[in-house]
Amino acid sequence: MGARGELFTTQINLDNRSYFFNVKENRTGDVFLQIVESKNKDGADADRRQIAVFEEDMQKFLQGLTKSLDFVEKNRKDRQKANREKKAAKEAKYGKGASESGKKVYRIKSEKKSENPNDGIKRTGRVHVMSIKPETKE
């Protein structure tokens, strides 16, 4: 038995996270699985979260995990199928070249400029209401 009751340890490293799967035994002889997630932060200590699954509950835990993985796989396949159908419908409506080129067509605003750009009015493209004082005769 290793330090802190560790019987077996394996580690999985991802981009900014590491997962540790530790099989441990406590002082009373109970065996459990400890799953630790360690997430790196920018210039700070790692954020660590852990769960423990005891030996008598591991089969139920594994069944739940298996059901979740099956759902994720089925959902991924359903989304891929829906995307293929959506693409086929788009090609049927607009022609095959529209989706293959991958290019988007943008409308260019006219480059017509105002006649008097230095009249002191800020033009933002929104409608402005201005009140003009009538000139008084003196």
Side-chain angles (χ1 to χ4, degrees):
M1 183 168 20
R4 298 184 311 253
E6 292 179 358
L7 302 174
F8 174 80
T9 298
T10 185
Q11 178 180 356
I12 297 174
N13 293 315
L14 302 175
D15 291 336
N16 65 341
R17 297 171 193 231
S18 295
Y19 293 96
F20 300 90
F21 297 90
N22 306 319
V23 178
K24 293 185 172 188
E25 183 177 9
N26 62 14
R27 286 184 221 135
T28 61
D30 296 329
V31 176
F32 62 96
L33 171 66
Q34 180 187 46
I35 302 171
V36 180
E37 175 194 34
S38 178
K39 183 165 58 168
N40 296 330
K41 291 185 177 180
D42 297 330
D45 294 335
D47 184 24
R48 293 177 59 92
R49 312 261 181 201
Q50 63 185 6
I51 63 168
V53 181
F54 287 91
E55 187 176 27
E56 61 270 8
D57 300 328
M58 285 186 192
Q59 288 302 318
K60 289 181 182 177
F61 180 81
L62 184 60
Q63 287 172 358
L65 183 61
T66 303
K67 285 181 183 178
S68 298
L69 292 174
D70 290 343
F71 171 79
V72 168
E73 184 65 20
K74 182 182 180 302
N75 188 38
R76 183 184 62 83
K77 288 179 181 178
D78 290 345
R79 282 184 292 149
Q80 285 179 342
K81 182 179 177 183
N83 285 340
R84 283 193 302 269
E85 290 171 356
K86 184 177 177 181
K87 184 178 178 181
K90 186 176 180 182
E91 287 175 355
K93 184 175 182 180
Y94 297 110
K96 193 167 186 166
S99 64
E100 283 183 352
S101 66
K103 294 181 181 178
K104 293 184 179 180
V105 177
Y106 295 96
R107 184 177 62 87
I108 300 174
K109 290 185 177 181
S110 69
E111 297 189 18
K112 183 179 171 184
K113 301 206 179 206
S114 68
E115 295 175 12
N116 191 3
N118 295 326
D119 60 0
I121 300 173
K122 180 179 175 184
R123 290 177 171 76
T124 61
R126 297 181 182 153
V127 177
H128 295 278
V129 177
M130 296 177 38
S131 61
I132 300 174
K133 293 182 182 178
E135 292 182 16
T136 57
K137 293 182 182 180
E138 294 179 14

